[in-house]
Amino acid sequence: MRDYYTLKVNMPAGIVSPGALQTVLRLAYDAKVRKVRFGARQQLLMTVHYEDMRFLEKDLKQHQISYELNTEQYPNIISSYCGEDVFRTGAWLRESEYHTVLDQFDYQPRLKVNLSDSNQSFTPFFTGNLNFIASPEPHFWYLYVRPKQTNLLFRWPQLIYTNDIGRLAKAVEEAMLAQDFQGEEALYKAVTANQHFITQPAMQEVELPEFSLPYYEGFNRYGERSWLGLYRRDEQFTIAFLLDVCALCLKTRIGEICATPWKSLIIKGIEAKDRTAWSYVLGKHNINVRHAANELAWQTEDHTDEGRALKHYVIRNFEKNDTRTFGLCFGVQTRAKSEVFGSVLIRKRPLIQLGQLALFSVYDLYYTENFNPNSRTYHVFEKGLFRMHVPNQLNRLCRKFNARWSQDRTETTWVETEKPEPAPGIEATVYQCPHCFTVYDEQYGDARHGSARHGNARQSIPAGTPFSQLPAEYTCATCDAPKQDMKAVQLATLAAGT
């Protein structure tokens, strides 16, 4: 029998420098680890055989790298930093403010701490015990406290100044852990009795955006640069691939790699001249960056394959039935007291149990208030389902969601843009870049072609311009590949492939 340890390395706020990650990965590789994962709280996870663990521990301690084995005593600080810039966020919260807050945590929090921009919907707001959310007032934050293992959520009476977040978080944690929780008023008095913090009155509840999960995979342009989102269907990243990613980041002067709560990576600041090198690394390791959006909108527990297996079982059914899941995200909970993020929750429940062993289990389906995954209120949809019945009931729930929004929204407020259907009998053709998979569709033209980075000599391509009439110097809107590289693809075939 082979015994293994689960080793966790926290990456505060989901941020890690390529050099630091490279060091950890090299030590893990020397300990015969070949694959790693990124957890729902933006941490690095790996499984290490017990015979190799003692050598890895020695190396980690020598390099002064903090880690945990088979425990969650120090949950990682998570943040919305991974979506900063690439997904438009707030007016004042920027990279410098995130780092200002992180520099204040000179201790390892034992409570879950979340740092969130209030204008984004990519990362969760309330999955932490201490949930700091940027307010409209520059440099002041809401604090929502959720005691451990509860759904009780209450707002701190005041907005907290950026430079006081670390000190307040430590004081709240000490008060909550030193005594049984006695309620919000008692906690507030215990924290503020002997300490002063810079605050403003919090006159109202935070206004959160409507949930919409952005597509977070592949090459995407922002400004004059690109970002790359990396997702793996089995949640496993080979160390060989990640070492190449770290080396290329160092070579091209990219200072940070970001982990997301969706167990994926985002690499920002890729310059146009380096796109070929990134494409080479993806091709070398056979990394696919064209997964369907309904596959990306799932969160499963760390340290278990059961939830991921159920996810893929349901997705196959969604594909078979062409189920519309736009606007929803799904969480799979197979263990008691674990936590996942989702507007739809699939919760496994033991029906017949012998001691700690579940002899027979069923599944219960829940959805959140208004189908917003940040809501802490769950409504029962169906209970006591066998595994084989879960996909069909989820199909019903998706139809319920779609019917509701069809009634509540008009076309002018609908957030998804539908592409017009081609005329009957006509098979629409588009042209796709083989390097980054960007598509030129004559229905839409190419407004980016006249962007500032091309100078004044170029004009945007108006809608309705056939590919054959594009200028000879035309290049891909995303990666600048030449026109002659682009391949004709039937639109129906392209849609089926995604």
Side-chain angles (χ1 to χ4, degrees):
M1 179 178 179
R2 294 177 63 85
D3 295 324
Y4 293 87
Y5 291 104
T6 297
L7 184 142
K8 181 187 74 169
V9 177
N10 280 339
M11 301 187 300
I15 307 168
V16 64
S17 71
L21 180 59
Q22 186 182 65
T23 298
V24 175
L25 294 173
R26 283 175 173 170
L27 297 179
Y29 194 88
D30 290 342
K32 302 179 182 178
V33 179
R34 294 297 177 263
K35 294 183 178 181
V36 297
R37 295 163 285 146
F38 295 92
R41 289 196 63 82
Q42 299 170 290
Q43 69 275 54
L44 177 67
L45 305 171
M46 64 186 77
T47 302
V48 188
H49 187 243
Y50 79 97
E51 292 178 349
D52 303 308
M53 191 64 245
R54 58 194 176 109
F55 300 108
L56 180 55
E57 278 195 284
K58 179 181 177 182
D59 290 339
L60 290 171
K61 290 176 180 176
Q62 183 178 348
H63 285 80
Q64 298 182 328
I65 297 170
S66 299
Y67 64 93
E68 287 187 86
L69 291 180
N70 296 337
T71 64
E72 284 291 340
Q73 185 177 0
Y74 301 106
N76 194 38
I77 300 172
I78 72 169
S79 79
S80 56
Y81 181 88
C82 55
E84 177 64 32
D85 284 337
V86 299
F87 307 125
R88 187 68 189 102
T89 51
W92 63 267
L93 183 56
R94 291 289 183 266
E95 174 185 345
S96 59
E97 281 78 19
Y98 283 104
H99 285 289
T100 295
V101 173
L102 291 175
D103 289 343
Q104 300 169 36
F105 284 86
D106 54 0
Y107 68 101
Q108 291 194 70
R110 289 178 289 169
L111 296 181
K112 296 177 181 177
V113 178
N114 288 22
L115 306 172
S116 301
D117 193 315
S118 60
N119 291 281
Q120 56 85 40
S121 60
F122 184 51
T123 62
F125 289 100
F126 302 121
T127 57
N129 305 117
L130 306 181
N131 303 281
F132 293 94
I133 303 172
S135 78
E137 187 67 27
H139 308 294
F140 282 88
W141 302 66
Y142 288 97
L143 169 60
Y144 283 81
V145 179
R146 183 171 64 88
K148 296 181 69 174
Q149 304 297 335
T150 75
N151 254 340
L152 176 65
L153 190 71
F154 65 88
R155 175 174 56 80
W156 199 254
Q158 295 143 339
L159 302 178
I160 313 301
Y161 184 53
T162 293
N163 290 358
D164 272 352
I165 285 180
R167 193 162 59 92
L168 179 73
K170 187 174 184 178
V172 173
E173 177 177 296
E174 289 174 349
M176 290 181 68
L177 297 181
Q179 55 190 354
D180 291 335
F181 178 68
Q182 299 295 325
E184 53 190 279
E185 185 175 348
L187 178 64
Y188 176 76
K189 289 181 178 179
V191 170
T192 58
N194 299 311
Q195 296 189 68
H196 174 72
F197 302 95
I198 300 174
T199 62
Q200 286 190 12
M203 305 305 294
Q204 60 186 24
E205 300 294 327
V206 65
E207 293 185 15
L208 298 180
E210 187 175 284
F211 176 77
S212 176
L213 180 66
Y215 191 83
Y216 57 85
E217 192 187 28
F219 284 107
N220 300 269
R221 185 180 294 279
Y222 69 107
E224 298 305 309
R225 299 186 177 189
S226 297
W227 60 270
L228 172 62
L230 297 169
Y231 159 86
R232 302 303 292 149
R233 180 167 283 165
D234 61 358
E235 300 175 2
Q236 302 276 347
F237 290 81
T238 66
I239 288 182
F241 167 64
L242 292 178
L243 284 174
D244 279 353
V245 166
C246 291
L248 187 52
C249 283
L250 292 170
K251 181 179 179 181
T252 58
R253 298 187 178 183
I254 292 175
E256 296 172 337
I257 297 173
C258 296
T260 82
W262 305 95
K263 304 185 179 182
S264 65
L265 294 178
I266 286 180
I267 300 163
K268 308 176 192 178
I270 298 174
E271 296 187 7
K273 65 181 180 61
D274 299 321
R275 283 291 304 274
T276 301
W278 282 100
S279 295
Y280 170 78
V281 169
L282 296 180
K284 174 183 175 182
H285 295 276
N286 194 32
I287 303 297
N288 178 28
V289 291
R290 295 189 64 212
H291 294 92
N294 66 356
E295 183 176 344
L296 302 180
W298 286 74
Q299 193 176 83
T300 59
E301 300 152 315
D302 298 333
H303 316 304
T304 178
D305 294 329
E306 185 178 2
R308 190 171 70 250
L310 180 61
K311 163 189 169 178
H312 293 308
Y313 176 64
V314 171
I315 288 173
R316 287 195 297 271
N317 184 275
F318 282 173
E319 292 172 348
K320 178 180 178 182
N321 292 282
D322 201 20
T323 302
R324 177 186 173 87
T325 62
F326 179 84
L328 293 172
C329 61
F330 304 83
V332 183
Q333 185 183 53
T334 64
R335 301 191 304 263
K337 298 183 178 180
S338 67
E339 188 166 36
V340 291
F341 179 67
S343 48
V344 174
L345 178 64
I346 308 167
R347 182 177 292 165
K348 182 180 178 181
R349 171 168 54 91
L351 194 63
I352 302 175
Q353 195 159 349
L354 181 62
Q356 298 295 319
L357 180 64
L359 300 180
F360 188 77
S361 297
V362 292
Y363 296 89
D364 303 330
L365 302 185
Y366 299 84
Y367 62 95
T368 56
E369 186 77 19
N370 296 322
F371 288 94
N372 189 323
N374 287 300
S375 171
R376 305 303 303 179
T377 302
Y378 291 92
H379 300 282
V380 176
F381 182 72
E382 288 289 349
K383 299 193 76 173
L385 298 174
F386 297 142
R387 185 177 186 268
M388 64 184 295
H389 296 145
V390 169
N392 285 336
Q393 294 305 315
L394 285 175
N395 276 314
R396 283 186 55 227
L397 184 52
C398 290
R399 288 197 296 270
K400 174 185 176 77
F401 168 77
N402 293 326
R404 173 194 165 167
W405 285 109
S406 295
Q407 294 172 358
D408 292 351
R409 298 293 184 88
T410 63
E411 290 185 3
T412 56
T413 59
W414 188 251
V415 295
E416 182 183 28
T417 302
E418 302 285 356
K419 286 189 178 182
E421 295 292 332
I426 300 177
E427 206 163 355
T429 300
V430 296
Y431 289 81
Q432 185 177 51
C433 173
H435 308 292
C436 68
F437 307 114
T438 296
V439 168
Y440 176 82
D441 188 336
E442 69 176 64
Q443 292 183 82
Y444 306 106
D446 184 359
R448 294 183 191 172
H449 195 254
S451 64
R453 75 188 182 94
H454 294 302
N456 297 325
R458 298 191 180 187
Q459 301 295 323
S460 61
I461 306 298
T465 305
F467 185 79
S468 60
Q469 295 181 16
L470 294 179
E473 67 274 12
Y474 177 81
T475 59
C476 171
T478 301
C479 71
D480 293 328
K483 174 183 175 181
Q484 57 266 30
D485 283 6
M486 302 183 78
K487 307 296 183 184
V489 181
Q490 298 300 322
L491 187 59
T493 303
L494 184 66
T498 58

